[in-house]
Amino acid sequence: MLSKKEKALITEVWDKLTPVAEDIGSEALLRMFTTFPGTKTYFSHLDISPRSPHLLSHGEKIVQAIAEGAKDISQLAVTLEPLQTLHAYTLRIVPTNFKLFSHCMLVTLACHMGDDFTPVLHAAMDKYLSAFAAVLSLKFR
């Protein structure tokens, strides 16, 4: 699925993005909530206004999980197993939302990275985020 070059590129990018994890994550979440309002239902108990503490905190957690998975993509299912269980059995998140979030993350990365978000990086990141979303959805089957 991902070449060695793509894996290295993804790891390098997420290493650079972790210092701004809460910014990128909260922006991607806000983009998802705005574009796909039905996804807000899982966050009705939280303040999801722009730059709210809840949005920043959850956004950072998501980006940290994505970055952690990028460290060893071949072990993604093992790395994400606790999140699979949480999202499937406790939170009962509709798996489609992971795909929607992945798309919003791509747009957010393009906005933040500008010219550094090359077509090659875009393609690699799309593959990785698709795999990430698919792995999170495994326990739903």
Side-chain angles (χ1 to χ4, degrees), residues 8-117:
L9 182 60
I10 289 166
T11 302
E12 178 185 331
V13 168
W14 285 111
D15 283 347
K16 290 179 184 175
L17 293 175
T18 53
V20 291
E22 67 179 15
D23 294 328
I24 290 171
S26 65
E27 185 178 324
L29 280 171
L30 186 60
R31 190 177 303 279
M32 181 179 71
F33 297 149
T34 303
T35 309
F36 308 104
T39 60
K40 288 189 234 181
T41 59
Y42 299 100
F43 295 86
S44 61
H45 61 291
L46 301 176
D47 176 6
I48 56 171
S49 60
R51 307 246 354 124
S52 73
H54 290 130
L55 201 61
L56 290 167
S57 173
H58 196 67
E60 181 177 22
K61 287 177 189 174
I62 293 170
V63 170
Q64 294 293 348
I66 293 170
E68 187 63 30
K71 289 179 183 175
D72 188 359
I73 295 171
S74 65
Q75 293 296 309
L76 197 55
V78 174
T79 303
L80 295 182
E81 199 282 326
L83 291 176
Q84 291 171 349
T85 302
L86 174 69
H87 285 82
Y89 301 130
T90 304
L91 302 175
R92 299 179 190 266
I93 305 294
V94 175
T96 304
N97 289 355
F98 303 134
K99 292 177 185 177
L100 298 176
F101 180 78
S102 294
H103 176 72
C104 292
M105 180 58 76
L106 283 173
V107 174
T108 300
L109 291 174
C111 292
H112 273 271
M113 296 180 71
D115 291 341
D116 291 334
F117 197 70

